[in-house]
């Protein structure tokens, strides 16, 4: 069986960093092996999620070298700039399934309903039929925020891997064709600053490591347990999504936040994590949270007081915020700089909630006056 692979050509603009693994036909089921702990998505993350896995009934471990080769090529493609799409593959399509609406399908592919209607000659978006084949519009939604500093470009990569094994639904029945692993990995690239190559290399490396980790985890899961899913209603049972946002881009500073969510095959819950990076563009070096503050002050305690106060106003937080935002500098390593203040992000479960959603808060700079380093990064934000 063939293993299709293609890489989408880069386009300008700011977009979505998205990695998705889908079943071409549906979910899976079978007996549940012991609960497994899913490893941290990024180095330095504070949480893991323990979930009970599913396996395909009667499945025995088997090696799938062709799937792994295709996944390796997909990971390597993150390092390829200017790669072109294989035109012989033709346009991408999607089959309307029970419960689908044009709005849901458009959101799934990061398009608008209007784009789908124009691409498919649809006059009434409410009159879809199960089994109907729709062409996915070629152009994604892209926005161009106004930045004061360097040009920020989008480097998109797309690849699709056929696992070569059938997908099974939650009732243990085979749904149809083979499971498909689909990867969208968009990363942000700077143009202009002398140290941009150093910044770009780190951002690209983090994305490539994330895609590689996900690919390895999915490959191991499929080889051990088959392509099993708890919910096969939309034929999507395993995915990894990065939503990368540029929160600050000036001639001197560049701050990026990645909201990362993934659902592994057979897992019962979605994991969510936030990865943050803030760079000094004069050196190309990542900035640590301690560098923002005057070391002669008790800045950790001051940040803790502000954070706990603001977290108390957020939904899904509870008394755990007193520990998760306590006076330890490690609690505030996930930070971003913006024109409006210091943004802090907290790992799932560390400040409350159900252990699957991250929370971000913004502390206005004026709230921490007297604690900032005199000539530190914050002093360079207008």
């Amino acid at each position: 069986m063939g293993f299709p692979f293609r890489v989408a050509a880069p386009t300008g603009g700011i977009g979505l960093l998205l990695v998705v693994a889908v079943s071409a036909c549906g979910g899976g089921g079978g007996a549940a092996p012991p609960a497994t702990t899913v490893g941290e998505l990024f180095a330095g993350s504070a949480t893991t999620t323990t979930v009970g896995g599913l396996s395909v009934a009667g499945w025995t471990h088997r090696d799938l070298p062709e799937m792994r080769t295709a996944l390796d090529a997909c990971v390597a493609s993150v390092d390829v700039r200017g790669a072109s799409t294989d035109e012989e593959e033709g346009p991408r399509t999607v089959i309307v399934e029970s419960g689908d609406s044009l709005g849901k399908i458009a959101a799934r592919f990061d398009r608008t309903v209007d784009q789908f209607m124009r691409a498919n000659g649809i006059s009434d978006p409410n009159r879809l039929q199960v089994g109907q084949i729709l062409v996915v519009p070629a152009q994604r939604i892209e926005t161009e925020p106004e930045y004061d500093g360097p040009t920020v470009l989008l480097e998109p990569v797309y690849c699709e891997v056929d696992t070569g094994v059938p997908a099974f639904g939650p009732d243990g029945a085979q749904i149809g064709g083979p499971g498909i692993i689909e990867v969208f990995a968009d990363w942000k690239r700077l143009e202009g600053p002398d140290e941009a190559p150093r910044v770009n290399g780190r951002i690209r490396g983090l994305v490539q490591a994330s895609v590689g980790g996900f690919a390895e985890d999915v490959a191991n899961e499929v080889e051990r347990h088959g392509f099993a899913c708890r919910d096969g209603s939309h034929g999507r049972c395993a995915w990894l999504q990065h939503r990368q946002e540029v929160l600050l881009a000036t001639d001197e500073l560049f701050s990026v936040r990645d909201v990362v969510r993934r659902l592994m095959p057979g897992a019962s819950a979605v994991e969510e994590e936030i990865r943050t990076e803030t760079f000094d563009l004069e050196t190309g070096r990542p900035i640590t949270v301690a560098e923002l503050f005057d070391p002669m002050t008790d800045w950790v305690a001051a940040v803790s007081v502000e954070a706990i106060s603001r977290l108390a106003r957020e939904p899904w937080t509870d008394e755990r915020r007193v520990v998760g935002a306590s006076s330890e500098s490690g609690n505030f390593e996930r930070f971003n700089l913006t024109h409006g203040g210091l943004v802090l992000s907290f790992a799932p479960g560390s400040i409350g909630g159900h252990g699957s959603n991250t929370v971000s808060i913004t502390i206005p700079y004026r709230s921490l006056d007297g604690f900032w380093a005199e000539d530190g990064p914050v002093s360079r934000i207008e």
Side-chain angles (χ1 to χ4, degrees):
M1 180 172 292
F3 291 80
F5 171 74
R6 66 188 178 93
V7 180
T11 58
I14 300 301
L16 179 70
L17 178 60
L18 176 66
V19 182
V20 184
V22 302
S23 162
C25 49
T36 57
T37 299
V38 181
E40 295 172 352
L41 194 56
F42 293 104
S45 298
T47 63
T48 57
T49 301
T50 301
V51 296
L54 287 179
S55 62
V56 175
W59 180 271
T60 57
H61 184 281
R62 65 193 69 175
D63 293 332
L64 300 170
E66 289 183 297
M67 177 188 70
R68 286 186 175 273
T69 298
L71 285 170
D72 288 344
C74 178
V75 175
S77 71
V78 179
D79 202 30
V80 178
R81 277 187 52 191
S84 60
T85 303
D86 184 353
E87 296 180 355
E88 295 182 358
E89 291 186 9
R92 297 177 61 201
T93 59
V94 59
I95 299 176
V96 178
E97 300 179 1
S98 177
D100 272 345
S101 68
L102 201 57
K104 289 180 180 179
I105 295 173
R108 187 182 307 165
F109 291 94
D110 194 20
R111 312 294 203 273
T112 66
V113 170
D114 187 58
Q115 284 176 308
F116 262 91
M117 291 178 66
R118 290 199 307 269
N120 293 276
I122 297 174
S123 57
D124 186 349
N126 298 314
R127 300 188 64 179
L128 295 183
Q129 296 182 349
V130 174
Q132 182 177 351
I133 299 176
L134 300 177
V135 173
V136 179
Q139 297 298 322
R140 286 171 298 175
I141 304 168
E142 294 179 353
T143 59
E144 290 281 0
E146 293 294 329
Y147 295 122
D148 299 330
T151 300
V152 182
L153 301 178
L154 179 70
E155 289 286 353
V157 173
Y158 172 76
C159 48
E160 182 179 291
V161 175
D162 183 335
T163 63
V165 299
F168 288 80
D171 59 356
Q174 183 175 339
I175 303 299
I180 300 295
I181 301 172
E182 192 174 17
V183 175
F184 298 83
D186 299 351
W187 59 279
K188 304 298 171 57
R189 177 170 61 84
L190 289 179
E191 283 195 347
D194 292 338
E195 294 299 330
R198 187 173 182 179
V199 174
N200 293 339
R202 180 171 175 82
I203 295 175
R204 182 181 62 243
L206 290 171
V207 173
Q208 192 168 41
S210 175
V211 175
F214 175 70
E216 180 67 17
D217 288 347
V218 170
N220 289 338
E221 186 69 20
V222 174
E223 288 182 338
R224 288 197 298 260
H225 304 301
F227 205 91
C229 307
R230 289 183 179 273
D231 183 0
S233 60
H234 295 291
R236 301 167 66 86
C237 69
W239 47 265
L240 170 66
Q241 180 188 68
H242 287 236
R243 185 179 296 275
Q244 194 175 70
E245 304 171 88
V246 176
L247 300 188
L248 183 70
T250 70
D251 289 331
E252 298 177 284
L253 299 168
F254 184 60
S255 193
V256 183
R257 177 174 64 186
D258 242 345
V259 180
V260 184
R261 305 178 72 239
R262 78 174 189 174
L263 180 66
M264 293 294 294
S268 60
V270 175
E271 300 169 79
E272 182 173 301
E273 184 60 276
I274 285 183
R275 178 77 181 187
T276 63
E277 292 287 343
T278 297
F279 296 92
D280 182 335
L281 294 185
E282 294 182 353
T283 64
R285 185 176 57 83
I287 297 171
T288 66
V289 67
E291 293 177 76
L292 305 178
F293 297 95
D294 182 344
M296 302 304 293
T297 66
D298 192 2
W299 65 268
V300 178
V303 172
S304 176
V305 170
E306 291 291 335
I308 291 174
S309 173
R310 284 171 170 76
L311 285 170
R313 309 168 199 167
E314 296 291 328
W316 307 113
T317 67
D318 54 33
E319 65 278 359
R320 280 175 284 180
R321 61 180 172 266
V322 177
V323 176
S326 62
S327 299
E328 296 183 14
S329 60
N331 289 330
F332 311 119
E333 290 178 346
R334 295 179 183 84
F335 77 93
N336 287 102
L337 297 179
T338 71
H339 285 292
L342 174 69
V343 176
L344 298 177
S345 299
F346 296 89
S350 65
I351 43 80
H354 299 292
S356 61
N357 295 314
T358 54
V359 173
S360 295
I361 58 172
T362 300
I363 301 177
Y365 294 125
R366 64 178 180 277
S367 298
L368 294 170
D369 281 347
F371 294 94
W372 303 113
E374 183 176 354
D375 297 317
V378 173
S379 68
R380 292 183 272 168
I381 300 175
E382 297 181 357

